[in-house]
Amino acid sequence: MNDSYINSNYDRLPGSYLFSTIAHKIKEYQGIHPEADIIRLGIGDVTTPLIPEVIKAMHKAVDEMGVKDTFRGYGPEQGYDFLREAIVRGEYTARGIDMDPNDIFVSDGSKCDVANIQELFSEDVRIAIPDPVYPVYLDSNVMAGRTGTLQGDGHFSEVTYLASTAENDFQPDLPKNPVQLIYLCSPNNPTGTVLSRETLQKFVDYANKTGSLILFDGAYNCYIQDESLPHSIFEIPGARTCAIEFRSFSKTAGFTGVRCAYTVIPHELSKLHSMWNRRQCTKFNGVNYVTQRAAEAIYTPQGWKETTAVIKGYMDTAKLIRKELTAAGYTVFGGEHAPYIWWKIPDGEKSFDFFDRLLSTCQVVGTPGSGFGPCGEGYFRLTAFGDHERTKVALQRIKENL
Ligand code: MLT
């Protein structure tokens, strides 16, 4: 086919997707050093098996699918009512937030939802994204032709970056120039830090005043240990008229390989609510019944008990990483309300060079901070989702060899 027919915005994307680049580098290293016992603390993928309550629900749902009277074909594109209602009870009513089950759109992943949502907006809206942050927000807007060109400093010309760094205590300032879409991520991936109530209120007030929209990614909210910190944008007065929230079962319940998430579009945003509904009905046939029953199961009393035990296990690993790196003289952030530790690397060293050094000296993998945005340079992300004992070994190697 003639190249002029393709979406040339893809040519603006620098290199491959961050985690594909990392996977490629690991494969290359393992190819040269087949004996190397590599410990992977890079991509935030879970390692603890699904909880018994979820497995029980899946078995039951599978059995139902084998019986004529309980077999299900296409489900509702928005998700089954049983799951939408369980989400409202378990995630929102439980925190004193008023929520209508019809505002919940069940999906097969937050990655897809945060990437797809931008198609509801015109090509010339200007976006603001935290720097550093999960790369999907930016990449999906590059693909849509909304970002301008990549500059020498690593920023795209038409994007407003919201620096979220140690210098501002990871609480970004409001955009300096007019924007229409504002991505926020809390707890933040990659820094593992949480946006305060004051910061969120500032953004909600700004959005309501300017008519802009907040796209709030709360995929890691269940790791917040301090109940006074905001778990949802909808805890903030005024958010229902200016925010959409993305949530996922991936990190909450170990569903990275199962695939289930949800997006909340308040009915106050009636136009967007009906557009997303139209989009889902046209392009999506819903999440399979077995998976939705599995997700529902985390909200039973036993399911929640088992889920919180798994989360505690990951947070114990986060605590261990923080403790050991701090004891070794490093500065670290995050890891207190999130499964990511944001590690300050030696001054002057590039984070991708540090990746290579860590891999070759310790056979430990992490994620270079600059992969999440220019403000991530000088930092490195470790995940607490790895096996606890293997993480101990990784930390020992770091103390001894780095
Ligand atoms: C990460 O490592 O940042 C996440 O696993 C990526 C994702 O959730 O898609």
Side-chain angles (χ1 to χ4, degrees), residues 223-288:
Y223 290 87
I224 298 176
Q225 305 294 302
D226 178 347
E227 283 309 301
S228 71
L229 289 170
H231 287 52
S232 164
I233 190 78
F234 298 118
E235 286 174 45
I236 309 300
R240 291 190 66 87
T241 48
C242 68
I244 290 177
E245 178 160 286
F246 304 90
R247 291 279 191 96
S248 170
F249 292 99
S250 285
K251 315 296 160 92
T252 306
F255 274 39
T256 55
V258 178
R259 311 306 308 150
C260 196
Y262 53 96
T263 288
V264 185
I265 308 187
H267 51 258
E268 284 82 346
L269 297 171
S270 57
K271 178 77 180 161
L272 293 175
H273 190 282
S274 87
M275 283 170 77
W276 188 247
N277 188 52
R278 182 71 169 85
R279 188 234 176 246
Q280 294 299 80
C281 291
T282 304
K283 297 192 176 184
F284 185 57
N285 264 331
V287 176
N288 70 75

Side-chain angles (χ1 to χ4, degrees), residues 99-361:
M99 187 63 72
D100 181 344
N102 291 319
D103 294 350
I104 311 282
F105 292 85
V106 175
S107 79
D108 61 351
S110 277
K111 183 182 191 175
C112 324
D113 286 355
V114 295
N116 291 329
I117 198 82
Q118 51 75 31
E119 73 182 57
L120 303 191
F121 306 98
S122 64
E123 213 175 277
D124 58 358
V125 296
R126 182 152 182 143
I127 67 159
I129 57 162
D131 178 9
V133 85
Y134 185 42
V136 174
Y137 317 149
L138 178 67
D139 286 6
S140 55
N141 277 287
V142 174
M143 292 168 178
R146 225 174 252 123
T147 56
T149 51
L150 188 58
Q151 313 291 291
D153 63 358
H155 286 143
F156 278 88
S157 56
E158 303 300 318
V159 175
T160 297
Y161 291 84
L162 307 172
S164 308
T165 60
E167 288 67 37
N168 63 14
D169 205 18
F170 302 97
Q171 305 297 314
D173 284 339
L174 290 172
K176 298 267 180 291
N177 46 336
V179 298
Q180 290 76 47
L181 288 182
I182 305 165
Y183 290 82
L184 294 176
C185 180
S186 182
N188 178 276
N189 177 9
T191 65
T193 55
V194 180
L195 295 175
S196 69
R197 207 167 280 281
E198 295 69 36
T199 300
L200 288 182
Q201 188 69 66
K202 199 170 68 175
F203 275 91
V204 164
D205 292 345
Y206 170 92
N208 277 323
K209 195 165 138 217
T210 59
S212 48
L213 182 77
I214 296 171
L215 299 169
F216 185 82
D217 185 350
Y220 298 92
N221 78 86
C222 63
Y223 290 87
I224 298 176
Q225 305 294 302
D226 178 347
E227 283 309 301
S228 71
L229 289 170
H231 287 52
S232 164
I233 190 78
F234 298 118
E235 286 174 45
I236 309 300
R240 291 190 66 87
T241 48
C242 68
I244 290 177
E245 178 160 286
F246 304 90
R247 291 279 191 96
S248 170
F249 292 99
S250 285
K251 315 296 160 92
T252 306
F255 274 39
T256 55
V258 178
R259 311 306 308 150
C260 196
Y262 53 96
T263 288
V264 185
I265 308 187
H267 51 258
E268 284 82 346
L269 297 171
S270 57
K271 178 77 180 161
L272 293 175
H273 190 282
S274 87
M275 283 170 77
W276 188 247
N277 188 52
R278 182 71 169 85
R279 188 234 176 246
Q280 294 299 80
C281 291
T282 304
K283 297 192 176 184
F284 185 57
N285 264 331
V287 176
N288 70 75
Y289 175 69
V290 176
T291 294
Q292 293 195 57
R293 281 295 186 199
E296 179 195 22
I298 77 161
Y299 297 114
T300 65
Q302 180 61 21
W304 197 244
K305 197 167 138 203
E306 292 171 3
T307 299
T308 47
V310 174
I311 291 168
K312 181 180 177 313
Y314 290 134
M315 289 312 289
D316 286 347
T317 304
K319 206 179 281 175
L320 175 79
I321 301 174
R322 275 185 66 91
K323 181 169 143 253
E324 294 299 324
L325 289 182
T326 307
Y330 294 104
T331 301
V332 295
F333 300 94
E336 289 173 310
H337 305 288
Y340 294 129
I341 285 82
W342 194 231
W343 179 6
K344 180 151 178 31
I345 58 173
D347 280 346
E349 188 165 7
K350 296 275 182 218
S351 59
F352 269 89
D353 294 341
F354 186 78
F355 174 94
D356 292 334
R357 188 157 73 90
L358 188 65
L359 183 54
S360 63
T361 57

Side-chain angles (χ1 to χ4, degrees), residues 8-74:
S8 60
N9 293 317
Y10 275 65
D11 295 337
R12 296 174 192 254
L13 290 163
S16 54
Y17 180 58
L18 174 62
F19 294 105
S20 313
T21 306
I22 300 305
H24 179 74
K25 278 169 114 29
I26 301 170
K27 198 166 166 214
E28 202 174 62
Y29 183 85
Q30 191 86 75
I32 302 167
H33 305 280
E35 74 299 339
D37 173 27
I38 297 175
I39 302 179
R40 294 162 193 252
L41 305 180
I43 189 162
D45 199 2
V46 292
T47 51
T48 304
L50 297 173
I51 56 167
E53 193 73 357
V54 160
I55 294 297
K56 207 169 76 188
M58 287 176 114
H59 279 303
K60 183 166 177 280
V62 167
D63 288 342
E64 285 175 42
M65 292 297 272
V67 174
K68 191 165 178 42
D69 285 350
T70 47
F71 168 77
R72 315 265 181 144
Y74 290 128

